[in-house]
Amino acid sequence: MTLRRFTKSVDGSIPVQALLYNDEDLFTSQDGVGIYDGTQKSPAHQSGVVYATTHRLFYIDRQNELTCSFVLDLSHITQTEYYAGLFKSSAKVTLHLSGANASNGSVSSTPVVGSNDDTVETGFESWECQVCAYRNPPGLSPAAARICGLCGVPRSSMPEPVKLSVPSSNKSIRQEITSLSSSLPSSATASAPSVVSPRPVHVRKPSSIACPACTFLNHPSMRSCEICGTDLPRIQVGQPEMKSAPASRPTSPDTESDDEDGDGQTPKTRMMKLSFRKGGDKAFYAVLKRSLQGKAWEIKHPSGTPSNDTEFNRSGISGIIRTVEASAQNRDTHMFNAFQDLEALMVKAKDMVRLAADLNERLTASSTITSTALDTSRDSPTSSVTTLISPSHTEPEEATFIRSSLSQLGLQMTNTPVTLDMMKDERKWFEELAKELAGVLQGQGQSMSVGQKTTEGGMMKQRGIIALDEAWGGWNRARGVALIPPSTFLQVLPHLPAYTTPPITKRRFKSGLAVLHTPPYSSAAFAARLCGLLTLVGPKTTTEIAEEESMTVGLAGEMMGSVEETGDICRDDGSAAIREGREERGEIERVVGSGEQGLGEGMIVAGEVRWWPNLFLGYKWDGQLDYVSS
Amino acid sequence: MALSTHTTSTGYLLPSIHSAPPFFTQQPNPTTLSIATEQWIRLILGYARHRKLFFLRVEDAETPGNDWDEVLRNERINRKLLPTYLSYILDTMVKKNLAAYEPPKQTRAVLLHWRLPEEWAEALHEWATSTGQLNSILTFYDITDPPLESSLTGIPIPLLRKAIAILAKTNRAQIITIADGEGVRFFTGNK
């Protein structure tokens, strides 16, 4: 029949699945279908199974599978109609067809499978892509066979490769794409790519040259673009016809010609009917419509997902299957994404750690400068104080949060304050605290001990003794927000000598003042040093001693008091002085600086106490000997 | 710092400790303080013996210009003994029975016992015997101010009284009340 031109014979004994292209999917099938060629029954195709796929429509005859089966490309279908059955007339689906060039090969039903060994268009042999050299396998649908499976570049569709210049190949590709993506009526042209335009071998002078920069169509004899001045490409032999506007539909010679209809049908109404003698028409029709809408035979972008089949999803068993498939795919996608996130996180974690460490360092570095400004009574050099934080400059909460969170992650930061939740048990916590305190103190103590060794005669601005409250305050300031209560501080102190070199111990004075000191400042050592100093230099006041030992005057007074208690020194109260003219006790008028030592019997500061080595010890009376008067 | 002794203008040799300023300060350290106080007492008593001074008052430390200046002050080192310290020293002496508050019931003046009252009693009896005034009634004035210098010259009456009381215990003296004064008679007592 004349409509046979639209269909191709297939070997129906082969299961339909094997006949499909690689990218073709089988949607549904329906038994008990008869075919009407035009308006008349096709005698050879009255009882068979119709299969609808993404690209084609199969009819496998029941009796004569081998001979009476055919396949119809859905691209030929221009329109469909549905006729629900009435009494004895069964439901029918009418397919309006056009664009007949697919039916090459034999009209009669010869048992030729895919009778297309002479053409390249159906893609039943592998072809090598010119761009990426990928060997495209056979078995793809005609549309898919037109683009390379690896790089997506459409095939230039000539068996012999034609050397195209780069811009012209772009144009040809573009033209192919535009022609292929045209709407359905012109899909006939899409199915016959090799017939239609891009014939790069044509030798003709183009009517206009498109500028590669601004796409303006220049006169063919122009050398440079009129608008933008870019040099125009040289016109070569083989330049195809240029089109700067969206492609107008290339003329398809087939649609107008060959009106081979012999059965009286007008060129327009070439149609085929499917008669559903056993029902199932509605579902089939829905699936068919979906396939037609999907237009899988047209070139789609690789990233295109079948998103427009959602409305067909819910019909029938295939719909259920599709739903299940979709949900499974969703799950897979989600899991994949989740794992990707996890892996990205793991990569970022290292970066995070490094960043936090860097931030920590910068925090401490920025605050050491200000912390020394706060220490008015300390003279330790800046370089020795490394871990104190000044609350006025940085955000102690954030710093502490960063550090505590880092330590909870298991990262040991050298400058973090130790809190209870970081440690497992309390005793270990104390020791860790002691270590930290040692670090805080040793930052000053280090320089102190170094300086102490040379203090015997020299004056170094270090100190090896510090009041307890000062130490506690400094430590808490260094910790920022995670503070240590005094009770904990006292508990930590016994562990301190284990972690400090020289060992720092606690000492309590008579007045209740408690200090931390290094061994040079222990009672005995200090007393010995002091006596040596006094015998060497002479009597000194407390302030002079304080200056000498570079400690606060109050602390020096405490130390002197403790030494005096041991009996190593004696005091000389300035209030016992006599002044010329003023002989009441303690009334000293002139006050001078206490640093002057050369004025032995001269002026002294009122109330100032001078320290002497203990003269009374072992004193032998050398005055007037007693005698007993008669 | 080398300390040196010093001889006062009256011929009394001051110990070297006297030229140490800490000597004039009351030491907080008890040990040191006891040592220093001991030295002070010895110095004071020695000086009193030398100069035959019997009384020591706190005012002597407060205002200069009395007999004790040489001891309580040291102009060379610009130090003086504070009254508080002196009062402490007096208290210590009284406790040691080296002095007695005189008049009693006050703490500002003491009578120095640079010679024990017993010694005074003996000396008194000696003197009475040596001047042949035994068994004669003597007034106090006779004893404290005899025409001849004796070691009893200038002895304060309370001390004299004490000595006489001691002698009376041993029956070597006897207080006799006479008109405007008191007299005493010495006996040779057999002990």
Side-chain angles (χ1 to χ4, degrees):
Chain A
M1 297 295 188
T2 53
L3 288 188
R4 288 298 152 257
R5 70 157 98 199
F6 287 105
T7 63
K8 278 191 303 248
S9 284
V10 293
D11 183 2
S13 59
I14 303 173
V16 173
Q17 279 76 3
L19 297 171
L20 299 179
Y21 297 135
N22 286 357
D23 49 347
E24 191 175 3
D25 287 321
L26 177 64
F27 280 148
T28 183
S29 62
Q30 185 54 45
D31 191 14
V33 177
I35 302 295
Y36 281 67
D37 191 359
T39 52
Q40 294 156 0
K41 284 190 185 175
S42 165
H45 312 92
Q46 281 309 302
S47 174
V49 187
V50 166
Y51 296 87
T53 71
T54 53
H55 293 74
R56 300 177 287 181
L57 200 66
F58 285 86
Y59 174 80
I60 309 295
D61 195 72
R62 182 70 60 83
Q63 276 80 29
N64 303 322
E65 293 162 341
L66 212 56
T67 57
C68 296
S69 309
F70 66 85
V71 64
L72 168 73
D73 275 332
L74 294 181
S75 53
H76 297 153
I77 300 175
T78 60
Q79 212 177 344
T80 56
E81 280 170 13
Y82 176 73
Y83 165 72
L86 189 66
F87 303 119
K88 285 193 74 177
S89 171
S90 42
K92 291 187 183 52
V93 170
T94 308
L95 309 172
H96 293 270
L97 306 169
S98 70
N101 259 357
S103 66
N104 43 3
S106 58
V107 175
S108 63
S109 46
T110 50
V112 175
V113 177
S115 56
N116 35 17
D117 45 359
D118 54 342
T119 59
V120 190
E121 305 138 12
T122 51
F124 265 24
E125 57 186 39
S126 58
W127 58 281
E128 188 169 336
C129 172
Q130 287 187 14
V131 177
C132 65
Y134 172 62
R135 192 144 203 93
N136 288 69
L140 294 179
S141 65
R146 271 176 234 116
I147 53 173
C148 170
L150 190 61
C151 62
V153 171
R155 196 175 172 188
S156 52
S157 76
M158 283 304 289
E160 54 266 32
V162 177
K163 296 294 178 289
L164 303 170
S165 59
V166 173
S168 60
S169 69
N170 281 347
K171 302 301 176 296
S172 66
I173 288 170
R174 206 196 300 157
Q175 198 168 11
E176 276 190 354
I177 291 175
T178 53
S179 66
L180 291 169
S181 59
S182 57
S183 57
L184 190 57
S186 64
S187 61
T189 62
S191 61
S194 61
V195 182
V196 193
S197 56
R199 292 244 175 221
V201 203
H202 285 181
V203 182
R204 54 180 170 197
K205 195 162 168 39
S207 56
S208 58
I209 306 175
C211 170
C214 64
T215 70
F216 178 69
L217 291 175
N218 291 282
H219 191 270
S221 32
M222 293 287 292
R223 295 280 175 175
S224 57
C225 175
E226 257 182 287
I227 303 297
C228 63
T230 320
D231 288 332
L232 292 179
R234 287 307 179 97
I235 306 303
Q236 287 178 4
V237 170
Q239 190 98 9
E241 183 90 25
M242 292 303 161
K243 295 222 167 32
S244 59
S248 59
R249 298 187 187 159
T251 57
S252 66
D254 301 320
T255 53
E256 292 153 7
S257 66
D258 61 306
D259 185 10
E260 295 180 32
D261 260 332
D263 50 4
Q265 287 185 359
T266 59
K268 283 189 190 170
T269 61
R270 288 184 197 95
M271 61 178 185
M272 208 168 88
K273 286 194 203 172
L274 306 171
S275 172
F276 294 87
R277 306 227 165 89
K278 289 195 184 154
D281 46 309
K282 271 224 162 55
F284 193 85
Y285 185 58
V287 172
L288 184 63
K289 272 207 111 45
R290 183 159 60 102
S291 285
L292 288 172
Q293 273 196 346
K295 289 197 191 127
W297 54 91
E298 290 177 7
I299 296 183
K300 293 230 172 44
H301 289 289
S303 60
T305 52
S307 58
N308 49 358
D309 54 357
T310 49
E311 58 236 39
F312 294 97
N313 265 358
R314 292 168 189 76
S315 61
I317 297 175
S318 63
I320 295 172
I321 292 173
R322 193 160 287 276
T323 313
V324 169
E325 278 173 9
S327 63
Q329 197 169 8
N330 265 352
R331 216 171 26 243
D332 285 339
T333 314
H334 286 153
M335 284 227 301
F336 179 61
N337 287 344
F339 280 131
Q340 271 185 337
D341 289 346
L342 184 65
E343 280 174 24
L345 176 68
M346 286 200 295
V347 166
K348 288 291 174 199
K350 241 190 168 51
D351 287 340
M352 245 172 33
V353 166
R354 221 170 337 106
L355 185 67
D358 180 37
L359 179 65
N360 192 17
E361 290 303 321
R362 260 190 270 134
L363 275 174
T364 50
S366 73
S367 54
T368 47
I369 300 153
T370 54
S371 71
T372 53
L374 294 177
D375 290 346
T376 54
S377 61
R378 281 193 221 177
D379 291 326
S380 12
T382 311
S383 58
S384 65
V385 178
T386 55
T387 62
L388 294 184
I389 297 180
S390 161
S392 64
H393 255 244
T394 62
E395 295 288 338
E397 303 224 0
E398 290 171 2
T400 310
F401 174 65
I402 289 173
R403 290 169 184 168
S404 56
S405 58
L406 280 175
S407 75
Q408 276 166 6
L409 283 171
L411 305 160
Q412 204 56 23
M413 307 296 298
T414 53
N415 291 345
T416 51
V418 174
T419 57
L420 185 52
D421 52 353
M422 296 181 192
M423 292 298 139
K424 293 189 192 68
D425 61 315
E426 228 178 62
R427 193 171 172 281
K428 197 166 179 301
W429 178 44
F430 284 146
E431 288 180 10
E432 288 295 320
L433 280 178
K435 261 188 228 159
E436 187 185 306
L437 180 59
V440 170
L441 287 177
Q442 211 74 53
Q444 357 160 4
Q446 197 64 37
S447 46
M448 277 190 293
S449 60
V450 168
Q452 200 48 53
K453 293 188 179 74
T454 63
T455 306
E456 280 309 304
M459 295 281 278
M460 298 261 302
K461 294 197 188 299
Q462 322 288 351
R463 52 190 197 143
I465 186 164
I466 176 175
L468 211 62
D469 58 341
E470 211 176 337
W472 178 67
W475 189 25
N476 269 336
R477 228 187 297 146
R479 286 174 67 91
V481 177
L483 302 178
I484 293 285
S487 55
T488 315
F489 183 61
L490 291 172
Q491 280 174 306
V492 168
L493 287 178
H495 300 275
L496 193 58
Y499 297 104
T500 55
T501 51
I504 295 178
T505 49
K506 185 180 105 167
R507 181 172 158 199
R508 185 169 280 272
F509 288 110
K510 187 179 65 175
S511 66
L513 172 69
V515 294
L516 296 176
H517 65 95
T518 53
Y521 286 92
S522 69
S523 179
F526 182 73
R529 195 163 65 238
L530 188 64
C531 289
L533 177 70
L534 288 178
T535 44
L536 196 67
V537 188
K540 286 205 154 283
T541 62
T542 310
T543 49
E544 286 165 3
I545 298 285
E547 210 175 342
E548 183 83 22
E549 298 278 333
S550 51
M551 59 172 72
T552 60
V553 178
L555 189 59
E558 292 281 347
M559 297 287 285
M560 302 305 286
S562 73
V563 173
E564 188 183 29
E565 277 186 22
T566 61
D568 291 334
I569 54 176
C570 58
R571 64 163 60 202
D572 164 32
D573 207 332
S575 55
I578 312 163
R579 284 310 310 143
E580 61 203 12
R582 285 286 211 118
E583 292 170 356
E584 288 91 346
R585 70 173 166 90
E587 304 268 8
I588 303 301
E589 286 175 292
R590 278 180 251 174
V591 174
V592 296
S594 59
E596 306 171 52
Q597 306 170 14
L599 317 166
E601 44 193 49
M603 319 167 212
I604 55 170
V605 182
E608 185 73 39
V609 175
R610 292 191 111 89
W611 298 101
W612 293 69
N614 198 342
L615 309 163
F616 301 106
L617 290 175
Y619 173 72
K620 293 278 186 292
W621 176 265
D622 55 353
Q624 184 141 337
L625 293 173
D626 297 329
Y627 63 93
V628 179
S629 63
S630 60
Chain B
M1 200 142 158
L3 301 174
S4 58
T5 60
H6 179 74
T7 311
T8 66
S9 53
T10 56
Y12 185 76
L13 185 64
L14 289 172
S16 58
I17 195 77
H18 195 256
S19 10
F23 191 53
F24 291 84
T25 310
Q26 187 166 358
Q27 301 294 326
N29 191 337
T31 316
T32 318
L33 181 63
S34 68
I35 297 173
T37 312
E38 197 182 307
Q39 303 299 329
W40 268 115
I41 291 171
R42 186 169 175 181
L43 173 63
I44 288 170
L45 290 180
Y47 189 71
R49 192 175 296 120
H50 173 75
R51 292 276 305 275
K52 288 211 186 352
L53 299 172
F54 291 95
F55 285 98
L56 181 56
R57 281 168 278 272
V58 177
E59 291 87 358
D60 294 335
E62 287 165 1
T63 56
N66 52 32
D67 295 326
W68 292 96
D69 273 353
E70 283 176 349
V71 172
L72 299 181
R73 301 166 79 85
N74 192 340
E75 297 285 336
R76 298 178 305 282
I77 58 171
N78 196 22
R79 292 290 185 272
K80 66 178 198 293
L81 190 65
L82 289 175
T84 49
Y85 193 20
L86 180 60
S87 142
Y88 171 77
I89 294 172
L90 297 181
D91 194 53
T92 314
M93 281 204 285
V94 169
K95 285 197 182 65
K96 289 190 187 172
N97 209 21
L98 294 170
Y101 285 119
E102 184 61 47
K105 304 278 190 294
Q106 55 86 41
T107 55
R108 285 184 70 82
V110 295
L111 176 65
L112 295 169
H113 291 169
W114 46 270
R115 209 179 201 184
L116 286 177
E118 289 79 8
E119 290 168 4
W120 281 116
E122 286 303 318
L124 184 62
H125 197 261
E126 283 268 349
W127 177 78
T129 311
S130 64
T131 56
Q133 287 172 326
L134 279 176
N135 294 328
S136 61
I137 296 174
L138 297 167
T139 62
F140 287 166
Y141 181 72
D142 289 333
I143 301 172
T144 58
D145 225 355
L148 282 175
E149 281 290 325
S150 75
S151 59
L152 295 166
T153 308
I155 187 171
I157 303 298
L159 191 54
L160 181 61
R161 219 185 278 275
K162 269 192 212 148
I164 291 169
I166 292 169
L167 285 176
K169 285 200 190 81
T170 58
N171 279 334
R172 290 188 286 170
Q174 185 186 8
I175 298 277
I176 295 171
T177 312
I178 55 175
D180 73 352
E182 281 143 335
V184 59
R185 192 195 305 194
F186 293 97
F187 305 116
T188 55
N190 299 331
K191 263 296 256 293

